[in-house]
Amino acid sequence: MVNMVDQQDAAEDIVIAGAGVAGLAVALGLHRKGVRCVVLESSPVLRTSGFAIAAWTNAFRALDALGVGDTIRSKHLQIQGACVMSSTTGQVAREVDLRVQGKWGPHEARCVQRNVLLQALEEELPRGTIRYSSKIVSIDDCDDAKILHLADGSTLRAKGPDGHGFEPKMLQFGGQGFRAGLVPCNRTDVYWFFTWSPSPTPDGKDDAEQNPAEMKQFVLAKLRSIKAPADVLGAVERSEMNDVLVAPLRYRPPLSLLFASICKGNVCVAGDALHPTTPDLAQGACVALEDAVVLARCLGDAIVGKERESVEAALRRYAGIRRWRSAQVIAASYMVGLVQQSDHAVVRFARDRLLFGMLAKGLLIMPDYDCGTL
């Protein structure tokens, strides 16, 4: 959420609530436009909910506009292809090259560690814009692994120098009431996800969700049921479950977004507050970065640039640009997830023989978008 504050009421002209991807990216975009802002974050630590995000072509266009695209590229592998696995045979049903030409140039996809992205955005901001207290305090050797101790007491485990052995390709699995995937971040770290519809208990939580050991066995059992490769099972088996986040998916009906209030007066929303989406197209953070560039451009042009319009008018212009794009992403992500997870016999037959190719190619449709420059 972004709020414009009258000068007689506060020392700052622009206050950004939330130091997530969208919040920090908006702050950096405004900084590039010569507009000062302050970011307020309620959490005392860097918010690293979720280990990594998939950054596609559209995200890197936004990152390039913000001036940090090459920094992120230098620390993450470019994903060359996507392999969709059949839930019937356990074999590759379709493989798609993710480096093909799109409307705006060659496609690009990388699995970006969230803390690396936030740090890159923060480092480009003027000192004092925002302060984080989550720092690495020590790194210990443990056999073939490194144990990273963070200031908030949590730990991260990374494999040793031999690497994980996965090719730079995204693996996707689906069917039997769940969908899952795995993608390498670099030579030593991989990101995996598992999405399912739980059976709620009286307290509103799934049994497996309440016990990390049961959660791991639940995920492994589901992956074995669709004949997932041994190295994928091994990656889940070796995962420290205190590094695994369990969270409900949020969904906003796309038609309601077409008529909902994105801005009101001098307040607007961006990022997940605007377009909560299922992860099936891996576009949540990518579209949040698009929001940031468009919002910073609209506000910057209104305050110090060529438009010289009111802040309220600038936010309305931002809302008009982002409304339909947000609805498209929400709807497409939901439909892809629905098809991937369904265990209906007809859907399963069509998915394994016809739809996997369409779904794999669909990964390249939403990223083929240009949010413009600052």
Side-chain angles (χ1 to χ4, degrees), residues 149-199:
H149 298 272
L150 306 183
D152 63 355
S154 63
T155 60
L156 295 175
R157 182 183 180 91
K159 286 186 62 178
D162 290 338
H164 46 62
F166 286 100
E167 295 183 36
K169 294 182 179 180
M170 178 187 303
L171 300 180
Q172 290 184 295
F173 311 90
Q176 301 191 23
F178 74 91
R179 63 256 202 205
L182 180 146
V183 59
C185 295
N186 48 45
R187 291 182 60 253
T188 58
D189 299 303
V190 298
Y191 167 70
W192 61 265
F193 68 88
F194 182 90
T195 304
W196 86 107
S197 300
S199 300

Side-chain angles (χ1 to χ4, degrees), residues 28-45:
L28 180 55
L30 290 172
H31 171 61
R32 300 292 194 216
K33 299 285 285 186
V35 178
R36 175 177 167 76
C37 67
V38 62
V39 181
L40 301 180
E41 170 55 51
S42 61
S43 173
V45 296

Side-chain angles (χ1 to χ4, degrees), residues 154-266:
S154 63
T155 60
L156 295 175
R157 182 183 180 91
K159 286 186 62 178
D162 290 338
H164 46 62
F166 286 100
E167 295 183 36
K169 294 182 179 180
M170 178 187 303
L171 300 180
Q172 290 184 295
F173 311 90
Q176 301 191 23
F178 74 91
R179 63 256 202 205
L182 180 146
V183 59
C185 295
N186 48 45
R187 291 182 60 253
T188 58
D189 299 303
V190 298
Y191 167 70
W192 61 265
F193 68 88
F194 182 90
T195 304
W196 86 107
S197 300
S199 300
T201 58
D203 61 1
K205 291 186 176 180
D206 184 78
D207 288 335
E209 180 181 335
Q210 301 179 58
N211 186 304
E214 291 182 5
M215 169 63 73
K216 178 182 287 188
Q217 295 308 313
F218 175 77
V219 172
L220 288 170
K222 289 293 188 180
L223 290 174
R224 290 189 184 105
S225 72
I226 61 166
K227 304 175 184 178
D231 53 356
V232 173
L233 296 174
V236 176
E237 183 66 54
R238 291 191 298 271
S239 298
E240 295 288 340
M241 293 307 288
N242 62 335
D243 296 336
V244 175
L245 172 72
V246 180
L249 296 182
R250 304 296 183 187
Y251 172 71
R252 174 170 293 157
L255 290 179
S256 69
L257 184 59
L258 294 179
F259 304 101
S261 295
I262 296 176
C263 65
K264 184 176 182 180
N266 60 356

Side-chain angles (χ1 to χ4, degrees), residues 119-186:
Q119 183 179 358
L121 295 171
E122 182 211 19
E123 287 178 350
E124 294 295 315
L125 290 170
R127 184 178 298 274
T129 302
I130 187 169
R131 290 177 291 178
Y132 292 120
S133 58
S134 180
K135 303 289 184 180
I136 296 178
V137 296
S138 65
I139 302 177
D140 296 333
D141 289 316
C142 180
D143 296 328
D144 64 343
K146 298 286 187 181
I147 306 297
L148 289 77
H149 298 272
L150 306 183
D152 63 355
S154 63
T155 60
L156 295 175
R157 182 183 180 91
K159 286 186 62 178
D162 290 338
H164 46 62
F166 286 100
E167 295 183 36
K169 294 182 179 180
M170 178 187 303
L171 300 180
Q172 290 184 295
F173 311 90
Q176 301 191 23
F178 74 91
R179 63 256 202 205
L182 180 146
V183 59
C185 295
N186 48 45

